[in-house]
Amino acid sequence: MIVDAHHHLWRIEDGYRWLDAPELAPIRRSFQPADLLAELTAAGVDRTVLVEGGRCDTAEAEILLGHAATTPAIAGVVAWADPADPELPETITRYRRLPGGELLVGIRPQVQAETDPGYLDRPEVRRGLRTIAEAGLAFDVVCRADQLAAVARAAREVPELRFVLDHLGKPAIRDGAAGLAAWAGPVAELAAVPNATAKLSGLVTEADWGRWRPADLRPFVAEAVRLFGPARLMFGSDWPVCRLAAGYGAVLAALTEVLPPLSTAERSAVFGETAVRTYRLGS
């Protein structure tokens, strides 16, 4: 079984303002469950985790959970919520009462949009992280490299919460060895915390979109495997964002190619079992 632990769906008319950037024209259209299912069938992927798409409002959760309720391949949803919001417990309760609410498996704010590298150190945010843990949900972190130290501190201080690092913390793959050196130290600090896992996702769009090769990803993937181990890593396509650099099948093929030698059990972890365990996906 292959689980894609990270993809998106959106309707362009629903206000995804970040898609207005000129370089994002190739993905500035709606992507719906039928589009996803065609990709899954072609790639041989069985189940997925649908992740909030940067809209940053609670209304999106109803749409995403609705997709999950009517699309059996979507095994879980990571919805947006503000961890600093004092009404976060009520928001989570409201999400769970929506159609598909039983498939809520995590919360993701847009940490990368916060100018403060220490955003996750704020007391009100830490309270929110504990609320997410008490709700039995995972916490997806999409962040910049300069925020990784704060992610590691938060993971140490809230050990009961399952932290999931999206896109390996967005290393500058396009910068080659320099990007690897700048990223390896900060991500190692997070990898040392046992309640942290990471997604092998979003890597092709951190490389040179028009010129990348699987070999460009290899040192970053190898370091992630060394630091986290296969049992704390999971495959994610980051579709349709990945289409800026590669199609769905090419992303899956590239990761398959650049992973270091792994046992059958270890490969099963990366391509499914880590996601099932981390997000507590049902059968």
Side-chain angles (χ1 to χ4, degrees), residues 16-79:
Y16 292 87
R17 304 303 303 173
W18 62 277
L19 287 170
D20 292 341
E23 65 272 19
L24 302 183
I27 59 170
R28 195 181 304 126
R29 69 169 181 84
S30 297
F31 291 90
Q32 293 292 281
D35 303 304
L36 171 69
L37 292 174
E39 299 287 1
L40 301 183
T41 299
V45 173
D46 302 286
R47 305 171 76 197
T48 74
V49 176
L50 173 57
V51 180
E52 67 87 27
R55 180 172 152 182
C56 299
D57 65 47
T58 57
E60 183 193 41
E62 181 173 2
I63 296 170
L64 300 186
L65 290 166
H67 287 326
T70 57
T71 310
I74 300 175
V77 172
V78 176

Side-chain angles (χ1 to χ4, degrees), residues 153-169:
R153 289 193 296 272
R156 286 193 297 268
E157 290 298 317
V158 191
E160 66 272 28
L161 180 59
R162 287 165 282 132
F163 282 73
V164 181
L165 180 65
D166 293 348
H167 315 327
L168 288 184

Side-chain angles (χ1 to χ4, degrees), residues 64-96:
L64 300 186
L65 290 166
H67 287 326
T70 57
T71 310
I74 300 175
V77 172
V78 176
W80 178 87
D82 179 0
D85 183 357
E87 296 185 358
L88 179 61
E90 291 77 17
T91 296
I92 293 172
T93 297
R94 186 167 67 253
Y95 286 173
R96 283 178 158 158

Side-chain angles (χ1 to χ4, degrees), residues 4-245:
D4 178 354
H6 196 106
H7 73 88
H8 308 285
L9 295 171
W10 59 67
R11 297 184 305 197
I12 195 66
E13 63 268 25
D14 284 343
Y16 292 87
R17 304 303 303 173
W18 62 277
L19 287 170
D20 292 341
E23 65 272 19
L24 302 183
I27 59 170
R28 195 181 304 126
R29 69 169 181 84
S30 297
F31 291 90
Q32 293 292 281
D35 303 304
L36 171 69
L37 292 174
E39 299 287 1
L40 301 183
T41 299
V45 173
D46 302 286
R47 305 171 76 197
T48 74
V49 176
L50 173 57
V51 180
E52 67 87 27
R55 180 172 152 182
C56 299
D57 65 47
T58 57
E60 183 193 41
E62 181 173 2
I63 296 170
L64 300 186
L65 290 166
H67 287 326
T70 57
T71 310
I74 300 175
V77 172
V78 176
W80 178 87
D82 179 0
D85 183 357
E87 296 185 358
L88 179 61
E90 291 77 17
T91 296
I92 293 172
T93 297
R94 186 167 67 253
Y95 286 173
R96 283 178 158 158
R97 289 174 177 165
L98 292 168
E102 72 280 4
L103 298 174
L104 180 70
V105 297
I107 295 295
R108 183 175 90 152
Q110 286 285 319
V111 174
Q112 65 182 347
E114 299 291 338
T115 57
D116 178 11
Y119 167 76
L120 291 173
D121 294 323
R122 297 179 186 178
E124 65 273 21
V125 175
R126 290 285 178 85
R127 283 194 294 272
L129 297 182
R130 292 187 173 91
T131 295
I132 295 167
E134 289 166 2
L137 300 172
F139 181 65
D140 267 48
V141 185
V142 56
C143 68
R144 306 183 307 271
D146 67 311
Q147 296 171 312
L148 280 169
V151 178
R153 289 193 296 272
R156 286 193 297 268
E157 290 298 317
V158 191
E160 66 272 28
L161 180 59
R162 287 165 282 132
F163 282 73
V164 181
L165 180 65
D166 293 348
H167 315 327
L168 288 184
K170 306 186 83 167
I173 295 173
R174 64 184 63 85
D175 294 338
L180 180 66
W183 162 81
V187 81
E189 186 178 354
L190 177 61
V193 185
N195 54 311
T197 59
K199 291 181 183 178
L200 296 163
S201 62
L203 302 183
V204 296
T205 46
E206 297 304 321
D208 185 324
W209 294 358
R211 301 175 59 187
W212 75 278
R213 297 291 181 271
D216 300 335
L217 314 182
R218 182 173 282 113
F220 296 86
V221 172
E223 186 67 359
V225 171
R226 186 183 73 83
L227 292 171
F228 286 93
R232 291 195 291 141
L233 289 172
M234 59 189 98
F235 156 67
S237 67
D238 198 29
W239 181 89
V241 179
C242 69
R243 289 166 57 100
L244 296 167

